[in-house]
Short mmCIF file of all heavy atoms in Angstrom, two decimals:
data_model
loop_
_atom_site.label_atom_id
_atom_site.label_comp_id
_atom_site.label_asym_id
_atom_site.label_seq_id
_atom_site.Cartn_x
_atom_site.Cartn_y
_atom_site.Cartn_z
N PRO A 215 122.25 86.06 83.98
CA PRO A 215 122.81 86.61 85.19
C PRO A 215 122.79 88.13 85.30
O PRO A 215 122.92 88.67 86.35
CB PRO A 215 124.25 86.10 85.16
CG PRO A 215 124.55 85.70 83.74
CD PRO A 215 123.23 85.39 83.14
N GLY A 216 122.54 88.81 84.13
CA GLY A 216 122.54 90.30 84.14
C GLY A 216 121.17 90.88 84.49
O GLY A 216 121.05 92.10 84.50
N ILE A 217 120.18 90.03 84.68
CA ILE A 217 118.86 90.59 85.05
C ILE A 217 118.70 90.40 86.62
O ILE A 217 118.93 89.33 87.12
CB ILE A 217 117.75 89.84 84.27
CG1 ILE A 217 117.80 90.34 82.83
CG2 ILE A 217 116.36 90.15 84.87
CD1 ILE A 217 116.68 89.84 81.91
N ASP A 218 118.31 91.47 87.26
CA ASP A 218 118.25 91.48 88.72
C ASP A 218 116.89 91.10 89.27
O ASP A 218 116.77 90.66 90.42
CB ASP A 218 118.62 92.89 89.27
CG ASP A 218 120.02 93.32 88.83
OD1 ASP A 218 120.96 92.73 89.34
OD2 ASP A 218 120.10 94.15 87.93
N ALA A 219 115.86 91.38 88.46
CA ALA A 219 114.47 91.14 89.01
C ALA A 219 113.58 90.83 87.81
O ALA A 219 113.77 91.36 86.72
CB ALA A 219 114.01 92.43 89.71
N VAL A 220 112.56 90.00 88.03
CA VAL A 220 111.59 89.66 86.99
C VAL A 220 110.17 89.88 87.51
O VAL A 220 109.80 89.36 88.54
CB VAL A 220 111.77 88.21 86.52
CG1 VAL A 220 110.63 87.77 85.58
CG2 VAL A 220 113.07 87.98 85.79
N SER A 221 109.43 90.70 86.77
CA SER A 221 108.00 90.83 87.03
C SER A 221 107.21 90.13 85.96
O SER A 221 107.40 90.44 84.75
CB SER A 221 107.61 92.33 87.08
OG SER A 221 106.22 92.43 87.29
N PHE A 222 106.37 89.22 86.35
CA PHE A 222 105.64 88.36 85.39
C PHE A 222 104.18 88.44 85.66
O PHE A 222 103.73 88.44 86.80
CB PHE A 222 106.13 86.91 85.60
CG PHE A 222 105.19 85.87 84.97
CD1 PHE A 222 105.25 85.57 83.63
CD2 PHE A 222 104.27 85.22 85.76
CE1 PHE A 222 104.41 84.58 83.05
CE2 PHE A 222 103.38 84.26 85.20
CZ PHE A 222 103.46 83.98 83.86
N THR A 223 103.38 88.48 84.60
CA THR A 223 101.95 88.27 84.72
C THR A 223 101.55 87.20 83.71
O THR A 223 101.95 87.33 82.53
CB THR A 223 101.14 89.55 84.48
OG1 THR A 223 101.53 90.54 85.41
CG2 THR A 223 99.66 89.29 84.61
N GLY A 224 100.78 86.20 84.14
CA GLY A 224 100.37 85.14 83.24
C GLY A 224 99.82 84.00 84.02
O GLY A 224 99.27 84.19 85.13
N SER A 225 99.90 82.82 83.47
CA SER A 225 99.27 81.66 84.10
C SER A 225 100.08 81.11 85.30
O SER A 225 101.27 81.37 85.42
CB SER A 225 99.10 80.57 83.06
OG SER A 225 100.34 80.16 82.57
N VAL A 226 99.41 80.32 86.11
CA VAL A 226 100.08 79.75 87.29
C VAL A 226 101.23 78.83 86.85
O VAL A 226 102.31 78.88 87.43
CB VAL A 226 99.06 78.98 88.14
CG1 VAL A 226 99.76 78.29 89.31
CG2 VAL A 226 98.00 79.92 88.68
N SER A 227 100.99 78.00 85.85
CA SER A 227 102.07 77.02 85.52
C SER A 227 103.31 77.73 85.01
O SER A 227 104.43 77.38 85.42
CB SER A 227 101.55 76.01 84.49
OG SER A 227 101.08 76.72 83.35
N THR A 228 103.12 78.79 84.16
CA THR A 228 104.32 79.52 83.71
C THR A 228 104.94 80.29 84.86
O THR A 228 106.18 80.30 85.00
CB THR A 228 103.93 80.49 82.56
OG1 THR A 228 103.18 79.83 81.59
CG2 THR A 228 105.13 81.13 81.93
N GLY A 229 104.12 80.83 85.72
CA GLY A 229 104.62 81.59 86.88
C GLY A 229 105.50 80.74 87.77
O GLY A 229 106.58 81.16 88.22
N ARG A 230 105.04 79.51 88.03
CA ARG A 230 105.84 78.60 88.89
C ARG A 230 107.15 78.31 88.24
O ARG A 230 108.25 78.29 88.91
CB ARG A 230 105.09 77.26 89.03
CG ARG A 230 104.10 77.28 90.14
CD ARG A 230 103.54 75.83 90.34
NE ARG A 230 102.43 75.92 91.26
CZ ARG A 230 102.59 76.06 92.58
NH1 ARG A 230 103.76 76.12 93.12
NH2 ARG A 230 101.53 76.12 93.34
N ARG A 231 107.15 78.08 86.97
CA ARG A 231 108.40 77.74 86.23
C ARG A 231 109.35 78.92 86.28
O ARG A 231 110.55 78.75 86.54
CB ARG A 231 108.01 77.41 84.83
CG ARG A 231 109.10 76.91 83.96
CD ARG A 231 108.61 76.72 82.53
NE ARG A 231 109.75 76.48 81.71
CZ ARG A 231 110.14 75.31 81.31
NH1 ARG A 231 109.55 74.22 81.75
NH2 ARG A 231 111.22 75.11 80.54
N ILE A 232 108.82 80.10 86.04
CA ILE A 232 109.66 81.31 86.05
C ILE A 232 110.24 81.57 87.47
O ILE A 232 111.41 81.89 87.63
CB ILE A 232 108.90 82.52 85.52
CG1 ILE A 232 108.64 82.30 84.01
CG2 ILE A 232 109.65 83.83 85.74
CD1 ILE A 232 107.85 83.42 83.35
N ALA A 233 109.35 81.44 88.46
CA ALA A 233 109.78 81.69 89.87
C ALA A 233 110.91 80.75 90.21
O ALA A 233 111.93 81.15 90.77
CB ALA A 233 108.62 81.56 90.80
N ALA A 234 110.76 79.48 89.88
CA ALA A 234 111.78 78.49 90.18
C ALA A 234 113.10 78.84 89.49
O ALA A 234 114.16 78.80 90.11
CB ALA A 234 111.34 77.08 89.82
N GLY A 235 112.98 79.26 88.22
CA GLY A 235 114.17 79.59 87.44
C GLY A 235 114.88 80.82 88.04
O GLY A 235 116.09 80.88 88.14
N CYS A 236 114.09 81.82 88.46
CA CYS A 236 114.71 83.04 89.00
C CYS A 236 115.36 82.80 90.34
O CYS A 236 116.45 83.36 90.64
CB CYS A 236 113.59 84.10 89.22
SG CYS A 236 113.02 84.82 87.67
N VAL A 237 114.81 81.96 91.15
CA VAL A 237 115.39 81.64 92.44
C VAL A 237 116.62 80.75 92.28
O VAL A 237 117.59 80.85 93.00
CB VAL A 237 114.31 81.06 93.42
CG1 VAL A 237 114.98 80.62 94.69
CG2 VAL A 237 113.26 82.09 93.71
N GLY A 238 116.54 79.93 91.24
CA GLY A 238 117.63 78.97 91.01
C GLY A 238 118.80 79.60 90.25
O GLY A 238 119.87 79.00 90.11
N SER A 239 118.62 80.81 89.68
CA SER A 239 119.70 81.44 88.87
C SER A 239 120.73 82.11 89.78
O SER A 239 120.50 82.34 90.93
CB SER A 239 119.10 82.41 87.90
OG SER A 239 118.65 83.58 88.58
N GLN A 240 121.85 82.41 89.15
CA GLN A 240 122.96 83.08 89.91
C GLN A 240 123.20 84.45 89.27
O GLN A 240 123.54 84.48 88.12
CB GLN A 240 124.16 82.18 89.83
CG GLN A 240 125.40 82.68 90.51
CD GLN A 240 125.15 82.94 92.00
OE1 GLN A 240 124.34 82.28 92.65
NE2 GLN A 240 125.85 83.91 92.56
N PRO A 241 122.97 85.59 89.94
CA PRO A 241 122.47 85.67 91.28
C PRO A 241 120.93 85.43 91.31
O PRO A 241 120.29 85.57 90.30
CB PRO A 241 122.78 87.14 91.70
CG PRO A 241 122.78 87.85 90.38
CD PRO A 241 123.26 86.91 89.34
N MET A 242 120.43 85.10 92.51
CA MET A 242 118.94 84.94 92.67
C MET A 242 118.24 86.24 92.29
O MET A 242 118.69 87.32 92.69
CB MET A 242 118.64 84.54 94.09
CG MET A 242 119.05 83.13 94.43
SD MET A 242 119.03 82.84 96.24
CE MET A 242 117.28 82.69 96.54
N LYS A 243 117.15 86.10 91.57
CA LYS A 243 116.47 87.34 91.13
C LYS A 243 115.27 87.61 92.03
O LYS A 243 114.62 86.72 92.57
CB LYS A 243 115.92 87.14 89.71
CG LYS A 243 116.98 86.96 88.64
CD LYS A 243 116.36 86.66 87.30
CE LYS A 243 117.38 86.56 86.17
NZ LYS A 243 118.62 85.82 86.48
N LYS A 244 115.02 88.91 92.20
CA LYS A 244 113.79 89.35 92.92
C LYS A 244 112.61 88.99 92.03
O LYS A 244 112.71 89.23 90.77
CB LYS A 244 113.94 90.87 93.18
CG LYS A 244 112.86 91.42 94.04
CD LYS A 244 113.18 92.93 94.32
CE LYS A 244 112.16 93.51 95.26
NZ LYS A 244 112.48 94.94 95.54
N ILE A 245 111.49 88.55 92.56
CA ILE A 245 110.36 88.20 91.70
C ILE A 245 109.03 88.74 92.12
O ILE A 245 108.80 88.99 93.30
CB ILE A 245 110.20 86.61 91.50
CG1 ILE A 245 110.21 85.95 92.89
CG2 ILE A 245 111.29 86.08 90.57
CD1 ILE A 245 109.98 84.47 92.78
#
Side-chain angles (χ1 to χ4, degrees):
I217 290 187
D218 301 289
V220 171
S221 176
F222 163 83
T223 300
S225 61
V226 175
S227 57
T228 310
R230 274 187 189 284
R231 186 185 170 95
I232 292 178
C236 287
V237 173
S239 71
Q240 181 57 29
M242 288 166 75
K243 296 176 176 42
K244 188 173 181 181
I245 50 176

